[in-house]
Coordinates of all heavy atoms in Angstrom, one line a residue:
M216 N 7.1 11.4 9.4 CA 8.1 12.4 9.7 C 8.7 12.2 11.0 O 8.2 11.5 11.8 CB 7.4 13.9 9.7 CG 6.6 14.2 8.4 SD 7.7 14.2 7.0 CE 8.6 15.7 7.3
H217 N 9.7 12.9 11.4 CA 10.5 12.7 12.6 C 10.3 13.8 13.6 O 9.7 14.7 13.3 CB 12.0 12.7 12.2 CG 12.3 11.7 11.1 ND1 12.4 10.3 11.3 CD2 12.6 11.8 9.7 CE1 12.6 9.7 10.3 NE2 12.8 10.5 9.3
S218 N 10.7 13.4 14.8 CA 10.6 14.4 15.9 C 11.5 15.6 15.6 O 12.3 15.5 14.8 CB 10.9 13.8 17.3 OG 12.3 13.5 17.2
D219 N 11.3 16.7 16.4 CA 12.1 17.9 16.2 C 13.4 17.9 16.9 O 14.0 18.9 17.0 CB 11.3 19.1 16.6 CG 10.2 19.4 15.6 OD1 10.4 18.9 14.4 OD2 9.2 20.0 15.9
S220 N 13.9 16.8 17.5 CA 15.1 16.8 18.2 C 16.2 16.3 17.4 O 16.1 15.6 16.4 CB 15.0 15.8 19.5 OG 14.7 14.5 19.0
G221 N 17.4 16.8 17.6 CA 18.6 16.4 16.8 C 18.8 17.3 15.7 O 18.0 18.1 15.3
P222 N 20.0 17.2 15.0 CA 20.3 18.0 13.8 C 19.4 17.6 12.6 O 18.9 16.5 12.5 CB 21.8 17.6 13.5 CG 22.1 16.4 14.2 CD 21.1 16.3 15.4
A223 N 19.3 18.6 11.8 CA 18.3 18.5 10.6 C 18.7 17.2 9.9 O 17.8 16.5 9.3 CB 18.3 19.7 9.8
S224 N 19.9 16.9 9.6 CA 20.3 15.8 8.8 C 19.9 14.5 9.3 O 19.5 13.6 8.6 CB 21.9 15.8 8.6 OG 22.5 15.6 9.8
V225 N 19.8 14.4 10.6 CA 19.3 13.1 11.2 C 17.7 13.1 11.2 O 17.2 12.2 10.8 CB 19.9 13.0 12.7 CG1 19.2 11.9 13.4 CG2 21.3 13.0 12.8
R226 N 17.1 14.2 11.5 CA 15.6 14.3 11.5 C 15.1 14.0 10.1 O 14.0 13.4 9.9 CB 15.2 15.7 11.8 CG 15.3 15.9 13.4 CD 14.5 17.1 13.8 NE 14.6 18.2 12.9 CZ 15.2 19.4 13.2 NH1 15.8 19.6 14.3 NH2 15.2 20.4 12.3
W227 N 15.8 14.4 9.0 CA 15.3 14.3 7.7 C 16.0 13.2 6.9 O 15.8 13.0 5.7 CB 15.5 15.5 6.9 CG 14.6 16.6 7.6 CD1 15.0 17.6 8.5 CD2 13.2 16.9 7.3 NE1 13.9 18.4 8.8 CE2 12.8 18.0 8.0 CE3 12.3 16.4 6.4 CZ2 11.5 18.6 8.0 CZ3 11.0 16.9 6.4 CH2 10.6 17.9 7.1
Q228 N 16.8 12.4 7.6 CA 17.6 11.3 6.9 C 16.8 10.5 6.0 O 17.2 10.2 4.8 CB 18.3 10.5 8.0 CG 19.3 9.5 7.4 CD 20.1 8.9 8.5 OE1 19.7 8.9 9.7 NE2 21.2 8.2 8.1
T229 N 15.7 10.0 6.4 CA 14.9 9.1 5.6 C 14.4 9.8 4.3 O 14.5 9.2 3.2 CB 13.7 8.5 6.3 OG1 14.2 7.9 7.5 CG2 12.9 7.5 5.5
E230 N 13.9 11.0 4.4 CA 13.4 11.7 3.4 C 14.5 12.1 2.4 O 14.4 12.0 1.2 CB 12.5 13.0 3.8 CG 11.3 12.6 4.5 CD 11.4 12.3 5.9 OE1 12.6 12.3 6.5 OE2 10.4 12.0 6.5
L231 N 15.7 12.5 3.0 CA 16.8 12.9 2.1 C 17.3 11.7 1.3 O 17.7 11.9 0.1 CB 17.9 13.4 3.1 CG 17.6 14.8 3.7 CD1 18.8 15.0 4.7 CD2 17.6 15.9 2.7
A232 N 17.2 10.5 1.8 CA 17.7 9.3 1.1 C 16.8 9.1 -0.1 O 17.2 8.5 -1.1 CB 17.7 8.1 2.0
R233 N 15.6 9.5 -0.1 CA 14.6 9.3 -1.2 C 14.8 10.3 -2.3 O 14.2 10.1 -3.4 CB 13.1 9.3 -0.6 CG 12.8 8.2 0.4 CD 11.4 8.3 0.9 NE 11.2 7.3 1.9 CZ 10.7 7.5 3.0 NH1 10.2 8.7 3.4 NH2 10.5 6.5 3.9
V234 N 15.5 11.4 -2.1 CA 15.7 12.3 -3.1 C 16.3 11.7 -4.4 O 16.0 12.2 -5.5 CB 16.6 13.5 -2.6 CG1 16.9 14.5 -3.8 CG2 15.9 14.3 -1.6
G235 N 17.0 10.7 -4.3 CA 17.7 10.0 -5.4 C 16.7 9.4 -6.3 O 17.0 9.1 -7.5
A236 N 15.5 9.1 -5.8 CA 14.4 8.5 -6.7 C 13.7 9.6 -7.6 O 13.0 9.1 -8.5 CB 13.3 7.9 -5.7
L237 N 14.0 10.8 -7.4 CA 13.4 11.9 -8.2 C 14.1 11.9 -9.6 O 15.3 11.8 -9.8 CB 13.5 13.3 -7.6 CG 12.9 13.4 -6.2 CD1 13.1 14.8 -5.7 CD2 11.4 13.1 -6.3
S238 N 13.2 12.2 -10.7 CA 13.8 12.4 -12.0 C 14.5 13.8 -12.1 O 14.3 14.5 -11.1 CB 12.7 12.3 -13.0 OG 11.9 13.5 -12.9
G239 N 15.2 14.0 -13.1 CA 15.9 15.2 -13.3 C 15.0 16.4 -13.2 O 15.2 17.4 -12.6
R240 N 13.8 16.3 -13.9 CA 12.8 17.5 -13.9 C 12.2 17.6 -12.5 O 12.0 18.7 -12.1 CB 11.8 17.2 -15.0 CG 10.8 18.3 -15.0 CD 11.3 19.6 -15.4 NE 11.2 19.9 -16.8 CZ 11.7 21.0 -17.4 NH1 12.3 22.0 -16.7 NH2 11.3 21.1 -18.7
E241 N 11.9 16.5 -11.9 CA 11.4 16.5 -10.5 C 12.3 17.2 -9.5 O 11.9 17.9 -8.7 CB 10.9 15.1 -10.0 CG 9.8 14.5 -10.7 CD 9.6 13.0 -10.5 OE1 10.5 12.4 -9.9 OE2 8.6 12.6 -10.8
K242 N 13.7 17.0 -9.7 CA 14.6 17.6 -8.9 C 14.6 19.1 -9.1 O 14.8 19.9 -8.2 CB 16.1 17.0 -9.1 CG 16.3 15.7 -8.5 CD 17.6 15.2 -8.8 CE 17.8 13.8 -8.1 NZ 19.1 13.1 -8.3
Q243 N 14.4 19.6 -10.3 CA 14.3 21.0 -10.6 C 13.1 21.5 -9.9 O 13.3 22.6 -9.2 CB 14.2 21.2 -12.1 CG 15.4 21.0 -12.9 CD 15.3 21.2 -14.4 OE1 14.2 20.9 -14.9 NE2 16.3 21.8 -15.0
V244 N 12.0 20.9 -10.0 CA 10.7 21.3 -9.3 C 11.0 21.3 -7.8 O 10.7 22.3 -7.1 CB 9.6 20.5 -9.7 CG1 8.3 20.8 -8.9 CG2 9.3 20.7 -11.2
F245 N 11.6 20.3 -7.3 CA 11.9 20.1 -5.8 C 12.8 21.3 -5.4 O 12.5 21.9 -4.4 CB 12.7 18.8 -5.8 CG 13.3 18.5 -4.5 CD1 12.4 18.1 -3.4 CD2 14.7 18.3 -4.2 CE1 13.0 17.8 -2.1 CE2 15.2 18.0 -3.0 CZ 14.4 17.6 -2.0
A246 N 13.8 21.7 -6.1 CA 14.7 22.8 -5.8 C 13.9 24.1 -5.7 O 14.1 24.9 -4.8 CB 15.9 23.0 -6.7
L247 N 13.0 24.2 -6.7 CA 12.2 25.5 -6.7 C 11.2 25.5 -5.6 O 10.9 26.6 -5.0 CB 11.5 25.7 -8.0 CG 12.5 26.0 -9.2 CD1 11.9 25.8 -10.6 CD2 13.1 27.3 -9.1
L248 N 10.7 24.4 -5.2 CA 9.8 24.3 -4.0 C 10.5 24.7 -2.8 O 10.0 25.5 -2.0 CB 9.3 22.8 -3.8 CG 8.2 22.3 -4.6 CD1 7.9 20.8 -4.4 CD2 7.0 23.1 -4.4
G249 N 11.8 24.2 -2.6 CA 12.6 24.6 -1.5 C 12.9 26.1 -1.4 O 13.1 26.7 -0.4
A250 N 12.9 26.7 -2.6 CA 13.2 28.1 -2.7 C 11.9 29.0 -2.5 O 11.9 30.2 -2.5 CB 13.8 28.5 -4.1
G251 N 10.8 28.3 -2.3 CA 9.6 28.9 -2.0 C 8.7 29.4 -3.1 O 7.8 30.2 -3.0
H252 N 8.9 28.8 -4.4 CA 8.2 29.3 -5.5 C 6.9 28.7 -5.6 O 6.6 27.6 -5.3 CB 9.0 29.1 -6.8 CG 10.3 29.9 -6.8 ND1 10.4 31.1 -7.1 CD2 11.6 29.4 -6.6 CE1 11.6 31.6 -7.0 NE2 12.4 30.6 -6.8
S253 N 5.9 29.4 -6.2 CA 4.5 29.0 -6.5 C 4.6 28.0 -7.7 O 5.5 28.0 -8.4 CB 3.7 30.2 -6.8 OG 4.0 30.8 -8.0
N254 N 3.4 27.3 -7.8 CA 3.3 26.5 -9.1 C 3.4 27.3 -10.4 O 4.1 26.9 -11.3 CB 2.0 25.7 -9.1 CG 2.0 24.6 -8.2 OD1 3.0 24.3 -7.5 ND2 0.8 24.0 -7.9
R255 N 2.8 28.5 -10.3 CA 2.8 29.4 -11.4 C 4.4 29.8 -11.8 O 4.8 29.9 -12.9 CB 2.0 30.6 -11.2 CG 2.0 31.7 -12.5 CD 1.2 32.8 -12.2 NE -0.2 32.2 -12.3 CZ -1.3 32.8 -12.0 NH1 -1.2 34.1 -11.4 NH2 -2.5 32.3 -12.2
G256 N 5.1 30.2 -10.6 CA 6.4 30.6 -10.8 C 7.3 29.5 -11.3 O 8.2 29.6 -12.2
I257 N 7.1 28.3 -10.8 CA 7.8 27.1 -11.2 C 7.5 26.9 -12.8 O 8.4 26.7 -13.6 CB 7.5 25.9 -10.4 CG1 8.0 26.1 -8.9 CG2 8.1 24.6 -11.1 CD1 7.5 25.0 -8.0
A258 N 6.2 26.9 -13.1 CA 5.9 26.7 -14.5 C 6.5 27.7 -15.4 O 7.1 27.4 -16.5 CB 4.4 26.8 -14.6
T259 N 6.6 29.0 -15.0 CA 7.2 30.0 -15.8 C 8.7 29.7 -16.0 O 9.3 29.8 -17.1 CB 7.0 31.4 -15.2 OG1 5.6 31.7 -15.1 CG2 7.7 32.5 -16.0
R260 N 9.4 29.3 -14.8 CA 10.8 29.1 -15.0 C 11.2 28.0 -15.8 O 12.2 27.9 -16.5 CB 11.3 28.9 -13.5 CG 11.4 30.2 -12.7 CD 11.6 29.8 -11.3 NE 11.4 31.0 -10.4 CZ 12.3 31.9 -10.2 NH1 13.5 31.7 -10.7 NH2 12.1 32.9 -9.4
L261 N 10.3 26.9 -15.7 CA 10.6 25.7 -16.5 C 9.9 25.6 -17.9 O 10.1 24.6 -18.6 CB 10.3 24.4 -15.7 CG 10.9 24.3 -14.3 CD1 10.4 23.0 -13.5 CD2 12.4 24.2 -14.5
D262 N 9.2 26.6 -18.2 CA 8.4 26.8 -19.4 C 7.5 25.5 -19.7 O 7.6 24.9 -20.8 CB 9.5 26.9 -20.6 CG 8.8 27.4 -21.9 OD1 7.7 28.0 -21.8 OD2 9.2 27.0 -22.9
V263 N 6.8 25.2 -18.7 CA 5.8 24.2 -18.7 C 4.4 24.8 -18.1 O 4.4 25.9 -17.6 CB 6.1 22.9 -17.8 CG1 7.4 22.4 -18.5 CG2 6.3 23.3 -16.4
T264 N 3.4 23.9 -18.2 CA 2.1 24.4 -17.7 C 2.0 24.1 -16.2 O 2.8 23.4 -15.6 CB 0.9 23.6 -18.3 OG1 1.0 22.3 -17.9 CG2 0.9 23.8 -19.9
E265 N 1.1 24.9 -15.5 CA 0.9 24.7 -14.1 C 0.5 23.3 -13.8 O 0.8 22.7 -12.8 CB -0.1 25.7 -13.5 CG 0.5 27.1 -13.3 CD -0.5 28.0 -12.7 OE1 -0.8 27.8 -11.5 OE2 -0.9 29.0 -13.3
R266 N -0.3 22.7 -14.7 CA -0.8 21.4 -14.6 C 0.4 20.4 -14.5 O 0.4 19.4 -13.8 CB -1.8 21.0 -15.8 CG -2.4 19.6 -15.7 CD -3.4 19.4 -16.8 NE -3.9 18.1 -16.7 CZ -4.6 17.5 -17.5 NH1 -4.9 18.1 -18.7 NH2 -5.0 16.3 -17.4
T267 N 1.4 20.6 -15.4 CA 2.5 19.8 -15.4 C 3.2 19.9 -14.1 O 3.7 18.9 -13.5 CB 3.5 20.2 -16.6 OG1 2.8 19.9 -17.8 CG2 4.7 19.4 -16.5
V268 N 3.3 21.1 -13.6 CA 4.0 21.3 -12.3 C 3.2 20.7 -11.2 O 3.9 19.9 -10.3 CB 4.2 22.9 -11.9 CG1 4.7 23.1 -10.5 CG2 5.0 23.6 -12.9
K269 N 2.0 20.7 -11.2 CA 1.1 20.0 -10.2 C 1.5 18.5 -10.2 O 1.5 17.8 -9.2 CB -0.3 20.2 -10.3 CG -0.7 21.7 -10.0 CD -2.2 22.0 -10.2 CE -2.5 23.4 -9.9 NZ -3.9 23.7 -10.2
A270 N 1.6 17.9 -11.4 CA 1.9 16.5 -11.5 C 3.2 16.2 -11.0 O 3.4 15.2 -10.2 CB 1.8 16.2 -13.0
H271 N 4.2 17.1 -11.3 CA 5.5 16.8 -10.7 C 5.5 16.9 -9.2 O 6.1 16.1 -8.5 CB 6.5 17.8 -11.3 CG 7.0 17.6 -12.6 ND1 7.4 16.3 -13.2 CD2 7.0 18.4 -13.8 CE1 7.7 16.4 -14.4 NE2 7.4 17.7 -14.9
V272 N 4.9 17.9 -8.7 CA 4.8 18.0 -7.2 C 4.1 16.8 -6.6 O 4.6 16.3 -5.6 CB 4.0 19.3 -6.8 CG1 3.7 19.3 -5.3 CG2 4.7 20.5 -7.2
A273 N 3.0 16.3 -7.2 CA 2.4 15.1 -6.7 C 3.3 13.9 -6.7 O 3.4 13.1 -5.7 CB 1.1 14.8 -7.5
N274 N 4.1 13.8 -7.8 CA 5.1 12.6 -7.8 C 6.2 12.8 -6.8 O 6.6 11.8 -6.2 CB 5.8 12.7 -9.2 CG 4.7 12.1 -10.3 OD1 3.9 11.5 -10.1 ND2 5.1 12.5 -11.5
I275 N 6.6 14.0 -6.6 CA 7.6 14.4 -5.5 C 7.1 13.9 -4.1 O 7.8 13.3 -3.3 CB 8.0 15.8 -5.5 CG1 8.8 16.1 -6.8 CG2 8.9 16.2 -4.3 CD1 9.0 17.6 -7.1
L276 N 5.8 14.3 -3.8 CA 5.3 13.9 -2.5 C 5.2 12.5 -2.4 O 5.5 11.9 -1.2 CB 3.9 14.4 -2.4 CG 3.7 16.0 -2.4 CD1 2.2 16.4 -2.3 CD2 4.6 16.7 -1.4
V277 N 4.8 11.7 -3.4 CA 4.8 10.3 -3.2 C 6.2 9.7 -3.1 O 6.4 8.9 -2.2 CB 4.1 9.6 -4.5 CG1 4.3 8.1 -4.6 CG2 2.6 10.0 -4.5
K278 N 7.2 10.1 -3.9 CA 8.4 9.5 -3.8 C 9.2 9.9 -2.6 O 9.9 9.1 -2.0 CB 9.3 10.0 -5.0 CG 8.8 9.4 -6.4 CD 9.7 9.9 -7.5 CE 9.2 9.3 -8.8 NZ 10.1 9.6 -9.9
L279 N 8.9 11.1 -2.0 CA 9.6 11.4 -0.7 C 8.8 10.9 0.4 O 9.3 10.9 1.6 CB 9.8 12.9 -0.6 CG 10.7 13.6 -1.7 CD1 10.8 15.2 -1.2 CD2 12.0 13.0 -1.6
Q280 N 7.6 10.4 0.2 CA 6.6 10.0 1.3 C 6.5 11.0 2.3 O 6.5 10.8 3.5 CB 7.2 8.7 1.8 CG 7.3 7.6 0.8 CD 7.7 6.2 1.4 OE1 7.7 6.1 2.7 NE2 8.2 5.3 0.6
V281 N 6.2 12.2 1.8 CA 5.8 13.3 2.7 C 4.4 13.7 2.4 O 3.8 13.4 1.3 CB 6.6 14.6 2.5 CG1 8.1 14.2 3.0 CG2 6.7 15.1 1.1
E282 N 3.7 14.5 3.3 CA 2.3 14.7 3.1 C 1.9 16.1 2.5 O 0.7 16.3 2.1 CB 1.6 14.7 4.5 CG 1.8 13.4 5.2 CD 1.2 13.4 6.6 OE1 0.6 14.4 7.1 OE2 1.5 12.4 7.4
S283 N 2.8 17.0 2.3 CA 2.5 18.3 1.8 C 3.6 18.9 1.1 O 4.8 18.5 1.2 CB 2.1 19.2 2.9 OG 3.3 19.5 3.7
R284 N 3.3 19.9 0.2 CA 4.3 20.6 -0.5 C 5.3 21.3 0.5 O 6.5 21.5 0.2 CB 3.6 21.5 -1.6 CG 3.6 22.9 -1.3 CD 2.8 23.7 -2.3 NE 3.7 24.6 -3.1 CZ 3.8 24.6 -4.4 NH1 3.2 23.7 -5.1 NH2 4.7 25.4 -4.9
L285 N 4.8 21.8 1.7 CA 5.6 22.4 2.6 C 6.6 21.5 3.1 O 7.8 21.8 3.2 CB 4.7 22.9 3.8 CG 5.5 23.5 5.0 CD1 6.3 24.7 4.6 CD2 4.5 23.8 6.1
Q286 N 6.2 20.2 3.5 CA 7.3 19.2 3.9 C 8.3 19.0 2.8 O 9.5 18.9 3.1 CB 6.5 18.0 4.3 CG 5.8 18.2 5.6 CD 5.0 16.8 5.9 OE1 4.5 16.0 5.1 NE2 4.6 16.7 7.2
A287 N 7.8 18.9 1.5 CA 8.8 18.6 0.4 C 9.7 19.8 0.3 O 10.9 19.6 0.1 CB 7.9 18.5 -0.9
G288 N 9.2 21.1 0.5 CA 10.0 22.2 0.4 C 11.1 22.3 1.6 O 12.2 22.7 1.3
L289 N 10.7 21.8 2.7 CA 11.6 21.7 3.9 C 12.7 20.8 3.6 O 13.9 21.0 3.9 CB 10.9 21.4 5.2 CG 10.0 22.5 5.7 CD1 9.1 21.9 6.8 CD2 10.7 23.7 6.1
V290 N 12.2 19.6 3.0 CA 13.3 18.5 2.7 C 14.3 19.2 1.6 O 15.5 19.0 1.7 CB 12.6 17.3 2.2 CG1 13.7 16.3 1.6 CG2 11.8 16.7 3.2
A291 N 13.7 19.9 0.7 CA 14.6 20.5 -0.4 C 15.5 21.5 0.2 O 16.7 21.6 -0.2 CB 13.7 21.2 -1.4
Q292 N 15.2 22.2 1.2 CA 16.1 23.2 1.9 C 17.1 22.6 2.7 O 18.3 22.9 2.6 CB 15.3 24.2 2.8 CG 14.4 25.2 2.2 CD 13.6 26.1 3.1 OE1 13.5 25.8 4.2 NE2 13.1 27.1 2.5
V293 N 16.8 21.5 3.4 CA 17.8 20.7 4.1 C 18.8 20.1 3.1 O 20.0 20.1 3.2 CB 17.2 19.6 5.0 CG1 18.2 18.7 5.5 CG2 16.4 20.3 6.1
Y294 N 18.2 19.5 2.1 CA 19.0 18.8 1.1 C 20.0 19.9 0.4 O 21.2 19.6 0.2 CB 18.1 18.2 -0.1 CG 18.8 17.4 -1.1 CD1 19.1 16.1 -0.9 CD2 19.3 18.0 -2.3 CE1 19.9 15.3 -1.8 CE2 20.0 17.2 -3.3 CZ 20.2 15.9 -3.0 OH 20.9 15.1 -3.9
E295 N 19.5 21.0 0.0 CA 20.3 22.1 -0.5 C 21.4 22.5 0.5 O 22.5 22.7 0.0 CB 19.5 23.2 -1.0 CG 20.3 24.4 -1.5 CD 20.9 24.1 -2.9 OE1 20.5 23.2 -3.6 OE2 22.0 24.8 -3.1
S296 N 21.1 22.6 1.7 CA 22.1 23.1 2.7 C 23.1 22.0 2.9 O 24.3 22.3 3.2 CB 21.5 23.4 4.0 OG 21.0 22.3 4.7
M297 N 22.8 20.7 2.7 CA 23.8 19.6 2.9 C 24.6 19.4 1.6 O 25.7 19.0 1.7 CB 23.0 18.3 3.3 CG 22.5 18.4 4.8 SD 21.7 16.9 5.2 CE 23.1 15.7 5.1
Y298 N 23.9 19.5 0.4 CA 24.6 19.2 -0.8 C 24.4 20.4 -1.7 O 24.1 20.2 -2.9 CB 23.9 17.9 -1.4 CG 23.7 16.8 -0.5 CD1 22.5 16.5 0.1 CD2 24.9 15.9 -0.2 CE1 22.4 15.3 1.0 CE2 24.7 14.9 0.6 CZ 23.5 14.6 1.3 OH 23.4 13.5 2.1
E299 N 24.8 21.5 -1.3 CA 24.8 22.7 -2.1 C 25.3 22.6 -3.4 O 26.4 22.1 -3.7 CB 25.5 23.8 -1.3 CG 25.3 25.2 -1.9 CD 25.8 26.3 -1.1 OE1 26.2 26.1 0.1 OE2 26.1 27.4 -1.7
G300 N 24.4 23.0 -4.4 CA 24.9 23.0 -5.8 C 24.5 21.7 -6.5 O 24.8 21.6 -7.7
T301 N 23.9 20.7 -5.9 CA 23.7 19.4 -6.5 C 22.4 19.3 -7.2 O 22.2 18.5 -8.0 CB 23.9 18.2 -5.6 OG1 22.9 18.3 -4.6 CG2 25.3 18.1 -5.0
V302 N 21.5 20.2 -6.8 CA 20.1 20.2 -7.5 C 20.2 21.6 -8.3 O 20.4 22.7 -7.7 CB 19.0 20.3 -6.5 CG1 17.7 20.6 -7.1 CG2 19.0 19.1 -5.6
S303 N 20.1 21.5 -9.6 CA 20.1 22.7 -10.4 C 18.8 23.4 -10.4 O 17.8 22.9 -10.6 CB 20.5 22.3 -11.9 OG 19.5 21.4 -12.4
E304 N 18.9 24.7 -10.2 CA 17.8 25.6 -10.3 C 17.9 26.5 -11.5 O 18.9 27.1 -11.8 CB 17.8 26.5 -9.1 CG 16.5 27.5 -9.1 CD 16.4 28.2 -7.8 OE1 16.8 27.7 -6.7 OE2 15.9 29.4 -7.8
P305 N 16.8 26.5 -12.4 CA 17.0 27.3 -13.6 C 17.2 28.7 -13.4 O 17.0 29.2 -12.2 CB 15.6 27.0 -14.2 CG 15.1 25.8 -13.6 CD 15.6 25.8 -12.3
T306 N 17.5 29.4 -14.4 CA 17.8 30.9 -14.2 C 16.7 31.7 -13.6 O 15.6 31.2 -13.8 CB 18.2 31.6 -15.6 OG1 17.2 31.3 -16.5 CG2 19.5 31.0 -16.1
S307 N 17.0 32.8 -13.0 CA 16.0 33.5 -12.2 C 15.0 34.2 -13.1 O 15.4 34.9 -14.0 CB 16.7 34.5 -11.3 OG 15.9 35.0 -10.4
V308 N 13.7 34.1 -12.8 CA 12.7 34.8 -13.4 C 11.7 35.3 -12.4 O 11.5 34.5 -11.4 CB 11.9 34.0 -14.4 CG1 10.7 34.7 -15.0 CG2 12.8 33.5 -15.6
S309 N 11.2 36.4 -12.4 CA 10.2 36.9 -11.4 C 9.1 36.1 -11.2 O 8.5 35.4 -12.1 CB 9.7 38.3 -11.8 OG 8.8 38.8 -10.8
D310 N 8.6 35.9 -9.9 CA 7.5 34.9 -9.5 C 6.3 35.7 -9.4 O 5.5 35.5 -8.5 CB 7.9 34.3 -8.2 CG 7.4 32.9 -8.0 OD1 6.9 32.4 -9.1 OD2 7.3 32.4 -6.9
N311 N 5.9 36.6 -10.4 CA 4.7 37.4 -10.3 C 3.5 36.6 -10.5 O 2.9 36.0 -11.3 CB 4.8 38.6 -11.3 CG 5.8 39.5 -10.9 OD1 6.3 39.6 -9.7 ND2 6.4 40.1 -11.9

């Protein structure tokens, strides 16, 4: 990870460049992570099991080379702010 100095786009440049390595489904999970959704909420939205979501999250961490789902979510937020609308988020369903 990078230091906290400079604009977000520079601090996260390496991780942002790795977003292209994500599959389409991983990008959907990535976007939902950035929006703060739980594994259960992501599973409900994508109509998959929580186990499947956990596998996607694990793949995302490896591909982005980050250590936690929080870091992946932060990368997703920066990515969304820079490239708004390029990561599709499924229709809204309550995250109960």
Side-chain angles (χ1 to χ4, degrees):
M216 300 304 287
H217 304 284
S218 70
D219 287 338
S220 61
S224 61
V225 173
R226 288 195 317 252
W227 295 94
Q228 186 173 15
T229 304
E230 291 82 2
L231 290 169
R233 295 181 183 131
V234 172
L237 301 178
S238 71
R240 182 61 100 179
E241 289 167 348
K242 284 182 181 177
Q243 289 177 320
V244 173
F245 175 70
L247 292 167
L248 281 174
H252 296 286
S253 66
N254 285 353
R255 180 176 289 165
I257 294 170
T259 299
R260 289 167 189 274
L261 299 180
D262 196 29
V263 297
T264 66
E265 283 186 64
R266 183 176 179 192
T267 298
V268 172
K269 289 178 184 179
H271 286 310
V272 171
N274 290 338
I275 291 165
L276 298 181
V277 169
K278 288 180 179 181
L279 296 182
Q280 297 179 19
V281 295
E282 298 176 13
S283 69
R284 107 187 243 120
L285 174 62
Q286 289 175 336
L289 292 171
V290 174
Q292 288 180 347
V293 172
Y294 187 86
E295 178 66 23
S296 71
M297 290 181 63
Y298 307 104
E299 190 172 338
T301 62
V302 176
S303 61
E304 183 175 328
T306 56
S307 191
V308 174
S309 178
D310 210 16
N311 296 331

